[in-house]
């Protein structure tokens, strides 16, 4: 670790009371340290020790030789609490000197213009990372302070690159790649982060014990996130992640995968603030994994799968990603709500599965361990499936909040020279959140396209790579899952095998229509759509063959016989003697007849009885000029313009819009459809029965036969309507109990579970407030652990004012009037 340059410099450096300098100066604020330098003029800084004696030091000597002094301390190989504390104090002092250097010409010239000083600082960072990566768990676990000093020292050392080189990541990358020991750095950086992640894992595993302190763990988790975020930012630079890819220990020996696995194993947390941090950690490490997989040449996963141990490690890591998606799609310990419904974590997890599902090393593993989850996705009630997977919502996915990590403040809090925050409901002073970034493409479109790609990858069969028995493996597995009896089905799904198959094929057909529409087709290539079409057709055929087989089994079954009072055996369906229960006989005969008719007329229908109303709806749907997506779009438009049929320009505009999402629709067809819909609503209102939805207006009868008395006008004069049907993405006005406007926002989540709050049962929904008329410190009417007690606390947690609001106190407003 000791270079020739260091040996030469050590001979020239003056005698300095290093312990006193580090111990006294690291406690000063940047402004106090800067004032000491000004007061010293061109002479030495004179400072009093705690015992009253004076020591003096030239600032140039302090700045030039401090990195070398800290490297010499590393050579002692001590790992006790006091040694880590001293190293952290020295790194903090070095951060402070760089922070104030621009105010002092000599200091600026030494730290930023003298290449040897910069090289010493880089050597120090490398040495500290090597030192921290070699941590071995001792017989006795480390103390809380030791763990805290360790994690803060790692983050502070990494961010020293930004202090001594540049705040721009491409500049830092250039310096690193030019360093002769860059392979050493890449080889130890990931293991060093893994060490602190294991510390965090141990702390979170104790969250149900009496000794658990949520505030301390939250603060600790932010230091861990800062270190991982540094690596994530570096890996976004193409040259750096190619350098990581070349590192044998990280890629071929599984160094990166071990870190991915450890982070993905972090448990869900009851504390919402910690859950947000854990989600960001998982999102960032999956992003790093994806970036490494995008390196051209041989695949990163192929390198990892070269050995049996590497393949097992890769599969166990992928299993953690599959489990995450299982929770997000189907619920888990804390439900889907534990994660941001539109967050980048879900997209990154789906991207990883899409990637590995196209890899022959892992395709069979994905089919075996993920098909049942996919089956449950397609078994949700049809309306819920359309809103989740066939949505035209154009809102972009919410990116992760970037932490602006202030190393000087962070180390100051840990070392006790700055006051620590008292509660994690208020942010630590060393963290400021950048506004959550928005990805460039709509979340709904990305999510749906990834689902289609995963399915199409799994049905692909390459004879020169895959085994013969793997042909149709996914199709058969999917069908078996549909037939399997299980108790954990989504609410509203029938438990009969045939009904489940019908529900799945209906949802698959809707997804196929959506995939073919221009809304999402730009995210899929033609091969994806064609393969998905083949899958849907083959599944329908398989379901049909299964139905016919079941019918034959019923016909070939021996006709049941009943004993009569006279002791004779009679076939069911024959004339029964007086007194015998003829109802049962008629029921069985009718059942068999219906089975024959259904099998002959439509093999795709269920062998179980289909209600007459459902049969009529199916017939009507065949004559519909619009698909489900188009109908959903026009219904949403009618909320804002209920009398669209009276305006020729609007009809033509919407006919053109709808034609982009399915079959072409003429303006005359749309007008006719609107008139029929209005007539249907009128007939329903006359019968005093619900009539098919739509938004109530003052000149259109409601579905309950009454005008809507809840309309209001906002200050712009636009009509506000009481939100009787809440949907994600709606623009709303928030009112209080007196009906006075509080602010405006967008509905983030209208139904489901959000941090243990059952929204529909509670009469609440999650709203992102975009405009607030009252003070940010105003108390929330529905406070919870996730949001805190005020709008300001919600902003601190989520980077936006995301709150719970009473659904009866929301007024719908067109987005143009926001």
């Amino acid at each position: 670790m000791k270079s020739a340059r260091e040996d030469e410099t050590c001979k020239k450096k003056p005698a300095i009371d290093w312990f006193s300098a580090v111990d006294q100066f690291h406690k000063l604020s940047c402004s106090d340290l800067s004032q000491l330098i000004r007061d010293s003029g061109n002479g030495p800084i004179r400072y009093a020790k705690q015992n009253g004696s004076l020591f003096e030091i030239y600032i140039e000597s302090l700045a030039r030789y401090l990195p070398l002094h800290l490297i010499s301390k590393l050579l002692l190989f001590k790992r006790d609490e006091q040694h880590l504390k001293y190293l952290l104090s020295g790194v903090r002092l070095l951060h402070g000197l760089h922070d104030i250097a621009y105010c002092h010409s000599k200091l600026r010239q030494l730290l930023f213009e003298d290449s040897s000083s910069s090289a010493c600082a880089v050597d120090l960072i490398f040495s500290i990372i090597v030192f921290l990566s070699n941590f071995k768990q001792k017989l006795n676990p480390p103390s809380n302070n030791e763990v805290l000093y360790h994690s803060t020292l790692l983050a502070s050392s990494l961010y020293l690159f930004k202090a001594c080189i540049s705040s721009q990541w491409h500049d830092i990358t250039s310096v690193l790649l030019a360093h002769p020991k860059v392979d050493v750095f890449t080889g130890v950086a990931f293991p060093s982060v893994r060490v602190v992640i294991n510390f965090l894992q141990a702390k979170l595993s104790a969250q149900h014990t009496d000794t658990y302190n949520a505030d301390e763990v939250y603060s600790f988790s932010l230091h861990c996130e800062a270190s991982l975020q540094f690596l994530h930012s570096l890996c976004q630079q193409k040259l750096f992640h190619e350098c990581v890819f070349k590192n044998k220990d990280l890629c071929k020996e599984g160094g990166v995968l071990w870190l991915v696995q450890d982070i993905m194993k972090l448990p869900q947390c009851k504390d919402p603030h910690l859950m947000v941090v854990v989600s960001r950690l998982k999102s960032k490490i999956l992003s790093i994994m994806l970036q490494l997989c995008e390196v051209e040449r041989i695949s990163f996963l192929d390198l990892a799968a070269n050995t049996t141990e590497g393949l097992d490690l890769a599969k166990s890591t992928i299993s953690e990603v599959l489990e995450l998606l299982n929770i997000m799609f189907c619920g888990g310990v804390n439900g889907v709500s534990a994660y941001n419904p539109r967050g980048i974590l879900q997209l990154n997890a789906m991207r990883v599965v899409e990637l590995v599902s196209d890899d022959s090393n892992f395709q069979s593993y994905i089919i075996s361990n993920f098909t049942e989850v996919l089956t449950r996705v397609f078994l949700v009630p049809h309306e819920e499936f359309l809103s989740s997977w066939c949505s035209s919502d154009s809102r972009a996915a919410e990116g992760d909040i970037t932490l602006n990590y202030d190393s000087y403040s962070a180390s100051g809090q840990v070392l006790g020279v700055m006051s620590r925050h008292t509660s994690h409901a208020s942010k630590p002073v060393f963290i400021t959140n950048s506004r959550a970034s928005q990805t460039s493409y709509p979340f709904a479109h990305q999510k749906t396209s990834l689902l289609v790609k995963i399915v199409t990858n799994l049905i692909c069969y390459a004879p020169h790579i895959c085994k013969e028995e793997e042909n149709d493996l996914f199709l058969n597995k999917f069908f078996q899952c549909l037939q399997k009896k299980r108790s954990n089905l989504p609410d509203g799904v029938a438990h009969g095998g045939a009904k489940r198959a019908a529900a799945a094929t209906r949802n698959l057909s809707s997804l196929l229509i959506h995939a073919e529409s221009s809304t999402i087709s730009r995210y899929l290539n033609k091969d994806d759509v064609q393969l998905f079409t083949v899958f849907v057709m083959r599944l329908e055929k398989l379901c049909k063959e299964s139905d016919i087989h079941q019918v034959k089994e019923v016909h070939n079954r021996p006709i049941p016989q009943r004993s009569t009072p006279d002791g004779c055996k009679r076939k069911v369906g024959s004339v029964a003697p007086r007194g015998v229960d003829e109802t049962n006989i008629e029921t069985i005969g009718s059942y068999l007849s219906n089975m024959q008719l259904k099998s002959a007329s439509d093999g795709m229908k269920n062998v179980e009885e289909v209600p007459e109303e459902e049969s009529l709806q199916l017939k009507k749907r065949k004559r519909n000029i619009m698909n489900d997506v188009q109908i959903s779009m026009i219904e949403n438009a009618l909320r804002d313009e209920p009398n669209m049929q009276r305006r020729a320009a609007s009809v033509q505009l919407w006919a053109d819009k709808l034609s982009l999402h399915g079959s072409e629709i003429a303006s005359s067809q749309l007008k006719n459809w609107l008139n029929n819909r209005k007539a249907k609503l009128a007939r329903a209102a006359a019968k005093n029965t619900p009539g098919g939805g739509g938004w109530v207006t003052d000149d259109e009868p409601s579905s309950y036969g009454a005008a809507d008395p809840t309309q209001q006008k906002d200050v712009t004069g636009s009509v506000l309507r009481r939100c009787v049907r809440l949907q994600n993405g709606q623009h709303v006005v928030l009112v209080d109990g007196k009906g006075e406007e509080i602010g405006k926002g967008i509905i983030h989540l209208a139904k489901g579970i959000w941090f243990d709050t059952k929204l529909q049962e509670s009469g609440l929904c999650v709203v992102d407030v975009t405009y607030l008329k009252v003070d940010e410190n105003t108390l929330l009417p529905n406070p919870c652990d996730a949001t805190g007690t005020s709008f300001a606390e919600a902003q601190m947690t989520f980077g936006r004012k995301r709150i719970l609001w009473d659904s009866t106190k929301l007024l719908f407003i067109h987005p143009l009037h926001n």
Side-chain angles (χ1 to χ4, degrees):
M1 293 170 64
K2 201 167 183 179
S3 63
R5 177 180 60 248
E6 179 187 335
D7 289 334
E8 182 180 350
T9 311
C10 286
K11 295 175 184 177
K12 299 178 182 178
K13 66 180 181 181
I16 298 174
D17 184 353
W18 282 111
F19 180 81
S20 297
V22 172
D23 183 60
Q24 297 299 318
F25 291 153
H26 91 272
K27 299 175 182 177
L28 301 177
S29 65
C30 286
S31 58
D32 290 342
L33 184 59
S34 183
Q35 188 61 48
L36 270 181
I37 297 174
R38 289 194 192 94
D39 293 344
S40 66
N42 293 324
I45 298 174
R46 291 181 173 83
Y47 202 81
K49 300 181 184 180
Q50 289 182 343
N51 60 9
S53 62
L54 293 175
F55 75 93
E56 61 180 37
I57 185 173
Y58 284 91
I59 190 64
E60 293 87 349
S61 298
L62 177 64
R64 183 185 299 276
Y65 299 116
L66 178 57
L68 296 174
H69 166 69
L70 294 176
I71 289 175
S72 69
K73 288 296 181 182
L74 290 170
L75 294 175
L76 298 176
F77 295 106
K78 291 183 178 179
R79 294 190 190 280
D80 58 83
E81 184 178 316
Q82 289 303 315
H83 189 60
L84 289 172
K85 182 178 181 180
Y86 183 80
L87 291 172
L88 180 58
S89 301
V91 171
R92 182 173 195 263
L93 176 56
L94 200 54
H95 268 286
L97 292 172
H98 281 87
D99 287 347
I100 65 174
Y102 286 102
C103 301
H104 305 277
S105 58
K106 288 185 178 180
L107 201 55
R108 181 177 67 250
Q109 183 178 5
L110 177 66
L111 294 179
F112 296 118
E113 298 175 14
D114 186 340
S115 58
S116 62
S117 294
S118 298
C120 283
V122 173
D123 286 346
L124 171 64
I125 299 170
F126 278 34
S127 301
I128 291 177
I129 306 304
V130 170
F131 173 77
L132 295 178
S133 68
N134 289 325
F135 177 85
K136 304 294 182 185
Q137 185 75 36
K138 296 178 291 188
L139 245 95
N140 297 321
S143 65
N144 285 336
N145 282 340
E146 188 176 345
V147 167
L148 189 56
Y149 292 150
H150 184 117
S151 62
T152 312
L153 179 58
L154 174 62
S156 296
S157 299
L158 288 171
Y159 279 82
L160 195 55
F161 277 120
K162 298 189 75 173
C164 67
I165 297 176
S166 170
S167 60
Q168 301 301 314
W169 292 107
H170 60 84
D171 292 335
I172 296 174
T173 301
S174 298
V175 171
L176 282 173
L177 295 180
H179 199 282
K181 295 183 180 179
V182 62
D183 290 338
V184 175
F185 175 77
T186 55
V188 298
F190 285 86
S192 64
V193 174
R194 188 184 173 206
V195 170
V196 298
I197 291 297
N198 288 334
F199 288 152
L200 179 60
Q201 174 80 40
K203 287 181 176 293
L204 291 177
S205 64
Q207 61 182 311
H208 302 293
T209 64
D210 295 336
T211 58
Y212 180 74
N213 187 315
D215 293 337
E216 288 183 0
V217 177
Y218 173 66
S219 180
F220 177 83
S221 69
L222 292 174
H223 298 294
C224 299
E225 183 181 3
S227 297
L228 181 66
Q229 181 176 280
F230 189 90
L231 293 185
H232 178 258
S233 299
L234 283 180
C235 285
Q236 287 181 320
Q237 306 297 312
K238 183 179 179 181
L239 293 176
F240 184 82
H241 73 239
E242 285 184 345
C243 177
V244 172
F245 181 81
K246 295 175 184 176
N247 190 296
K248 177 182 175 182
D249 290 337
L250 289 179
C251 294
K252 195 170 182 178
E253 303 299 328
V256 173
L257 285 176
W258 281 117
L259 178 59
V260 177
Q261 184 180 93
D262 288 348
I263 292 179
M264 295 306 297
K265 281 184 175 180
L266 291 175
Q268 294 193 67
C269 312
K270 287 186 176 181
D271 186 284
H273 301 82
L274 271 171
M275 193 65 236
V276 170
V277 177
V278 169
S279 296
R280 291 199 299 259
L281 286 169
K282 293 181 178 182
S283 176
K284 286 181 172 69
I285 194 59
L286 290 180
S287 177
I288 291 174
M289 182 178 175
L290 288 166
Q291 286 159 358
L292 291 176
C293 290
E294 290 170 359
V295 175
E296 298 175 2
R297 310 181 201 100
I298 188 172
S299 164
F300 159 67
L301 288 173
D302 283 342
L303 281 177
N306 269 340
T307 63
T308 304
E309 296 79 6
L311 184 60
D312 291 342
L313 173 61
K315 286 181 177 179
S316 62
T317 303
I318 292 168
S319 71
E320 297 298 331
V321 181
L322 298 182
E323 178 57 28
L324 172 68
L325 287 178
N326 181 29
I327 293 172
M328 287 184 155
F329 291 165
C330 310
V333 178
N334 288 339
V336 179
S337 58
Y339 298 97
N340 185 347
R342 284 178 51 240
I344 198 69
L345 174 57
Q346 182 175 345
L347 293 182
N348 281 345
M350 292 184 73
R351 287 186 186 113
V352 169
V353 175
E354 189 268 328
L355 186 79
V356 297
S357 63
D358 195 32
D359 190 319
S360 59
N361 289 315
F362 306 102
Q363 192 178 64
S364 297
Y365 182 82
I366 298 296
I367 291 174
S368 300
N369 294 276
F370 196 55
T371 303
E372 186 164 343
V373 176
L374 289 174
T375 307
R376 293 179 64 192
V377 168
F378 289 105
L379 282 177
V380 299
H382 189 58
E383 293 301 322
E384 183 180 336
F385 181 84
L386 291 179
S387 64
S388 179
W389 295 101
C390 300
S391 171
S392 298
D393 188 350
S394 60
R395 290 181 296 165
E398 294 175 0
D400 286 331
I401 293 174
T402 300
L403 301 186
N404 297 320
Y405 186 77
D406 183 347
S407 301
Y408 198 71
S409 298
S411 53
Q413 281 193 350
V414 170
L415 293 167
V417 298
M418 294 179 62
S419 60
R420 300 191 183 189
H421 63 290
T422 56
S423 169
H424 63 286
S426 58
K427 284 183 302 185
V429 298
F430 60 85
I431 291 294
T432 56
N433 293 344
S434 296
R435 186 175 180 83
S437 60
Q438 298 287 323
T439 57
S440 54
Y441 301 110
F443 172 80
H445 300 173
Q446 292 186 73
K447 182 179 75 166
T448 302
S449 64
L450 285 168
L451 178 64
V452 173
K453 288 179 179 178
I454 290 171
V455 172
T456 56
N457 285 344
L458 294 176
I459 64 176
C460 286
Y461 170 65
H464 61 288
I465 297 177
C466 302
K467 300 175 184 177
E468 181 64 31
E469 58 268 22
E470 292 178 0
N471 190 15
D472 289 339
L473 181 62
F474 175 66
L475 176 66
N476 293 328
K477 178 77 172 178
F478 192 94
F479 180 72
Q480 290 169 10
C481 290
L482 288 179
Q483 304 301 312
K484 188 188 299 183
K485 292 182 180 180
R486 61 172 74 88
S487 59
N488 57 347
L489 286 171
D491 294 338
V493 175
H495 286 264
K499 286 189 176 181
R500 287 199 300 271
T505 52
R506 185 185 184 194
N507 286 336
L508 280 162
S509 298
S510 296
L511 183 59
L512 176 58
I513 293 171
H514 188 56
E516 291 173 332
S517 70
S518 60
T519 304
I520 192 176
S521 60
R522 73 190 70 173
Y523 306 99
L524 299 168
N525 58 45
K526 291 182 179 179
D527 289 343
D528 291 329
V529 177
Q530 288 174 358
L531 284 168
F532 193 72
T533 303
V534 170
F535 172 72
V536 175
M537 292 174 63
R538 293 188 66 187
L539 181 66
E540 288 177 344
K541 181 181 178 182
L542 200 58
C543 293
K544 178 180 178 180
E545 291 172 352
S546 175
D547 289 350
I548 294 173
H549 178 69
Q550 290 181 34
V551 171
K552 287 181 179 178
E553 280 188 343
V554 172
H555 282 294
N556 294 333
R557 199 175 297 158
I559 299 177
Q561 295 180 334
R562 295 175 56 104
S563 295
T564 63
D566 58 3
C568 299
K569 300 282 186 179
R570 294 188 183 272
K571 293 182 178 179
V572 176
S574 61
V575 179
R578 186 174 300 174
V580 175
D581 185 3
E582 298 182 11
T583 305
N584 216 11
I585 298 173
E586 292 172 359
T587 301
I588 296 173
S590 174
Y591 175 73
L592 292 174
S593 298
N594 286 339
M595 292 275 280
Q596 277 184 307
L597 288 172
K598 286 174 185 170
S599 175
S601 62
D602 187 359
M604 286 303 300
K605 292 184 181 178
N606 304 327
V607 293
E608 297 159 285
E609 292 189 12
V610 179
E612 183 179 354
E613 296 83 354
E614 185 177 338
S615 179
L616 290 173
Q617 289 174 2
L618 291 171
K619 291 177 183 177
K620 289 178 182 177
R621 193 174 294 115
K622 291 177 182 177
R623 297 197 302 268
N624 207 327
I625 64 171
M626 292 186 285
N627 59 39
D628 294 329
V629 175
Q630 292 169 316
I631 290 174
S632 177
M633 290 177 63
I634 193 64
E635 288 287 357
N636 285 333
L638 288 170
R639 298 171 187 171
D640 306 317
E641 196 175 357
N643 293 304
M644 184 187 296
Q645 73 278 2
R646 299 178 186 174
R647 302 176 181 89
S650 293
V651 173
Q652 182 62 58
L653 175 66
W654 276 99
D656 294 339
K657 284 184 178 181
L658 295 173
S659 297
L660 298 175
H661 299 272
S663 58
E664 186 175 353
I665 301 171
S667 59
S668 58
Q669 288 178 300
L670 180 57
K671 184 174 181 180
N672 186 52
W673 186 89
L674 292 170
N675 286 329
N676 289 339
R677 176 185 176 280
K678 190 173 181 70
K680 179 183 175 183
L681 287 174
R683 287 194 300 271
K687 294 179 183 179
N688 197 27
T689 58
W695 287 86
V696 180
T697 63
D698 52 1
D699 61 347
E700 180 178 17
S702 75
S703 58
Y704 295 91
D708 180 11
T710 61
Q711 290 187 337
Q712 299 182 18
K713 299 272 186 177
D714 73 352
V715 292
T716 66
S718 58
V719 177
L720 306 175
R721 304 181 182 89
R722 187 75 63 184
C723 284
V724 294
R725 184 186 298 166
L726 300 172
Q727 289 189 353
N728 298 348
Q730 285 178 342
H731 291 252
V732 292
V733 172
L734 293 76
V735 298
D736 58 16
K738 299 178 182 178
E740 297 180 357
E741 181 180 343
I742 297 296
K744 295 180 181 179
I746 301 172
I747 295 179
H748 175 70
L749 196 63
K751 61 182 180 180
I753 305 174
W754 193 71
F755 288 112
D756 295 331
T757 299
K758 297 181 179 178
L759 300 178
Q760 289 167 296
E761 291 184 12
S762 310
L764 303 172
C765 64
V766 185
V767 179
D768 286 342
V769 179
T770 55
Y771 164 72
L772 196 61
K773 292 185 70 173
V774 297
D775 187 83
E776 285 191 342
N777 294 315
T778 301
L779 295 180
L780 296 173
N782 302 292
C784 69
D785 291 339
T787 62
T789 58
S790 67
F791 292 98
E793 290 184 8
Q795 175 78 33
M796 290 178 183
T797 301
F798 299 106
R800 56 177 56 79
K801 298 178 181 69
R802 180 166 291 169
I803 58 166
L804 288 169
W805 202 261
D806 191 331
S807 57
T808 62
K809 295 182 176 63
L810 294 174
L811 301 176
F812 174 76
I813 182 172
H814 192 280
L816 293 177
H817 297 299
N818 280 359

